[in-house]
Amino acid sequence: MTGLVLVTGGAGFIGGAVARAAEESGHAVRVLDSLRADVHGPGSAPPAGIETRLGDVTDPAAVADALRGVDVVVHQAAKVGLGVGFGDAPDYVASNDLGTAVLLAEMAAAGVDRLVLASSMVVYGEGAYRSSRGPVAVPPRRRADLDDGRFEPRDPVSGEPLEPVLVTEDAPLDPRNVYAATKVHQEHLAAAWARATGGRVAALRYHNVYGPGMPQNTPYAGVASLFRSQLERGEAPAVLEDGGQRRDFVHVRDVAAANLAAVGWTARQEGAAVRPFNVGSGVVHTILDLAVALAAAAGGAAPVVTGGYRLGDVRHITASSARLRDELGVPAPVPFEAGVAAFATAPLRPAVRMRG
């Protein structure tokens, strides 16, 4: 048990799960959330019974008020997903980077020196690959190749096919879209704060999170939510590229457990420190695997592989979560088959109202 935990974005999909898990574990919990309509949908509310402050992390006064008496911050508030177009860039930067800078400045002023930061696997860009000549860093995929259905990255020297492998936390960061760039910047801001204040940061690099309470009908949600929303509308899940994109689908319950373990790590760690942790199930599946499993469990139409693509998407990104298990002692994850089967009929959030 550890003092008062502030969960920013605690009315959201992941933040709400973290706040509830923290309370169930005996922590005192406070939530700060703006309840943005394009995130939460009509009628959404913070977790019942948990102290909540309505405000945005970009507002210093709201953040300062929420930090009173707090011992550790779990920072979940962020704009997520690939976005609709580059016109989203200012909102991503304001929500993620400015919001994090304001939060860290107010934490420094309040003397709060422990932070769990929600980061993402997207910080790595394309995942790790190897060829006959060893590890290979691949450049961003070319639009011409994607237009022609050539989705797999190839060795930029030999042109031979590459073998995707697991990424570790020590891999270089290589953001390839606006959202990814903001997540890298959040980590860098948190590291600068830790050096300046002696604070401790656990940066949790989430893989593809799914589970009950995901938002629906929004281009900013994860692929699991998009497929569920399509099935609820009586449509076949539309799978981009050829469906062979490798991902690690991790249940929101496991993500909440990782956050609680990270809260404990910040209490044990002495002195300034920044430690990233990959948060995944440790099991690789393709996006088509997910679509097929969801459609079957929901009794819906079989997925349709469209061959389309989103520029800025990466082909394969799966990372080792060994550090999470070894250093934080996070328990075994919810199995993919059981988690997806339950998610296929679990309630989603109300459809969101888009800005504009």
Side-chain angles (χ1 to χ4, degrees), residues 6-331:
L6 174 65
V7 182
T8 70
F13 165 49
I14 296 176
V18 172
R20 288 188 294 271
E23 185 186 49
E24 291 167 0
S25 297
H27 298 291
V29 181
R30 177 183 297 154
V31 161
L32 174 66
D33 203 294
S34 66
L35 292 179
R36 275 178 57 158
D38 59 337
V39 174
H40 295 281
S44 292
I50 294 179
E51 179 191 356
T52 298
R53 307 286 174 88
L54 183 63
D56 196 288
V57 288
T58 62
D59 178 358
V63 174
D65 177 65
L67 283 170
R68 298 183 194 281
V70 164
D71 294 278
V72 56
V73 175
V74 180
H75 184 32
Q76 305 291 321
K79 186 179 178 74
V80 302
L82 185 58
V84 175
F86 204 82
D88 281 334
D91 194 22
Y92 273 105
V93 172
S95 299
N96 299 357
D97 297 341
L98 176 60
T100 298
V102 169
L103 173 67
L104 294 171
E106 295 302 327
M107 288 176 66
V112 180
D113 62 358
R114 297 164 55 200
L115 175 68
V116 178
L117 173 68
S119 187
S120 171
M121 64 173 187
V122 297
V123 299
Y124 299 116
E126 279 288 348
Y129 295 84
R130 64 186 173 202
S131 71
S132 58
R133 63 187 181 92
V136 175
V138 300
R141 296 184 295 171
R142 301 185 309 162
R143 186 188 294 271
D145 288 336
L146 299 172
D147 285 339
D148 289 340
R150 294 191 295 270
F151 302 122
E152 292 287 349
R154 289 185 170 266
D155 189 314
V157 175
S158 68
E160 69 178 286
L162 297 171
E163 178 188 0
V165 295
L166 299 182
V167 182
T168 67
E169 289 88 348
D170 299 323
L173 306 186
D174 183 20
R176 299 197 173 183
N177 56 57
V178 170
Y179 171 59
T182 66
K183 299 312 283 186
V184 170
H185 196 202
Q186 283 184 295
E187 289 197 23
H188 287 171
L189 286 168
W193 167 84
R195 286 191 295 270
T197 66
R200 285 93 74 195
V201 182
L204 304 185
R205 294 172 179 168
Y206 299 159
H207 282 255
N208 289 74
V209 186
Y210 74 96
M214 285 192 86
Q216 62 172 305
N217 194 34
T218 167
Y220 304 105
V223 67
S225 173
L226 298 178
F227 289 161
R228 265 297 313 275
S229 298
Q230 289 166 338
L231 286 164
E232 288 212 347
R233 295 194 299 267
E235 303 169 5
V239 180
L240 296 180
E241 301 186 18
D242 60 3
Q245 306 94 306
R246 290 161 55 97
R247 298 290 187 269
D248 184 334
F249 298 99
V250 57
H251 198 278
V252 69
R253 190 173 77 196
D254 298 323
V255 174
N259 275 272
L260 294 189
V263 165
W265 178 88
T266 64
R268 297 189 302 272
Q269 176 65 38
E270 303 221 349
V274 181
R275 189 72 166 159
F277 297 90
N278 292 330
V279 179
S281 71
V283 182
V284 175
H285 289 91
T286 68
I287 286 179
L288 183 58
D289 289 340
L290 175 68
V292 168
L294 276 175
V304 174
V305 177
T306 68
Y309 66 86
R310 298 189 303 176
L311 201 63
D313 267 342
V314 297
R315 178 62 177 177
H316 304 301
I317 176 63
T318 53
S320 169
S321 294
R323 178 183 292 181
L324 183 77
R325 315 277 175 222
D326 295 343
E327 296 186 16
L328 298 189
V330 174

